Amino acid sequence: MDAVAAAFEAQPREGFLPRLARPRAGHDGPIQIGRGQTNSQPRTVADMLRLLDVRPGQRVLDVGAGSGWTTALLAHLTGPEGEVVGVELEPSLVRFGSANLARTGQVWASIRQAEPGVLGWPAGAPYHRVLVSAEPTSLPQELVDQLAGDGVMVIPVAGTMLRVTNPGARVTSHGGYRFVPLR
């Protein structure tokens, strides 16, 4: 079993969905979690995590943490030697995601309230890996600037999944995807 599959097994999606949506946890599609946001399609999340190639001990930023599921998956991949900072703009989802994440016991991961008009969590930069689960219309330099010298970011931009590697912000494309807008 690869590391991503092991993370999915350790952090089942069901525990990160609103109670009434939990029976649909096995559905391979996005599920509404409130405030116009979704818990992403599992196959898409797995694709993104494999592109991100998180290693134990890394510092990771999770932009658009929502329900906390991707934050928990990332924390499983980094292990307790690592650190995962999730950021979410919607206050009710910060509370929901933080409560879900707390039940995992992964104290090296947290979800913080994003500041309006600020992308990511620049105060904690640089990050070895950045996962973005919302879609901007163009690649945000503000997030690229938060990557460590050998960092990797996976982000959907204008319908295409991009893998951005530092140094030099080298960009490769990895298929078409749809996400909620990055605000």
Side-chain angles (χ1 to χ4, degrees):
M1 177 181 308
D2 76 340
V4 171
F8 268 67
E9 189 172 296
Q11 302 300 331
R13 185 185 197 198
E14 181 178 321
F16 297 88
L17 295 173
R19 191 166 309 282
L20 293 176
R22 289 179 184 168
R24 297 188 62 227
H27 171 65
D28 191 28
I31 295 177
Q32 294 290 324
I33 57 172
R35 308 299 289 176
Q37 304 301 309
T38 61
N39 178 281
S40 297
Q41 177 180 18
R43 184 175 21 158
T44 298
V45 173
D47 289 348
M48 292 175 78
L49 293 177
R50 287 189 175 99
L51 284 172
L52 199 58
D53 190 28
V54 176
R55 307 286 172 88
Q58 291 184 322
R59 294 188 71 248
V60 180
L61 176 64
D62 183 20
V63 178
S67 71
W69 187 42
T70 54
T71 309
L73 293 168
L74 290 164
H76 182 85
L77 293 169
T78 68
E81 318 80 43
E83 178 186 8
V84 180
V85 176
V87 291
E88 173 58 50
L89 191 56
E90 175 53 50
S92 64
L93 290 180
V94 172
R95 290 187 297 277
F96 178 63
S98 293
N100 293 335
L101 184 61
R103 286 191 295 276
T104 72
Q106 298 176 114
V107 296
W108 58 95
S110 63
I111 298 175
R112 301 175 185 189
Q113 177 70 52
E115 296 179 41
V118 176
L119 291 178
W121 195 259
Y127 301 97
H128 298 108
R129 299 291 186 265
V130 175
L131 179 70
V132 183
S133 297
E135 184 175 344
T137 56
S138 62
L139 182 62
Q141 187 62 43
E142 189 174 355
L143 290 175
V144 174
D145 292 344
Q146 293 176 50
L147 285 173
D150 60 349
V152 175
M153 176 169 54
V154 173
I155 179 172
V157 176
T160 301
M161 190 63 66
L162 302 181
R163 185 175 195 265
V164 181
T165 55
N166 234 4
R170 182 173 164 263
V171 178
T172 55
S173 298
H174 298 273
Y177 293 85
R178 289 182 36 187
F179 278 81
V180 298
L182 180 66
R183 332 179 246 138

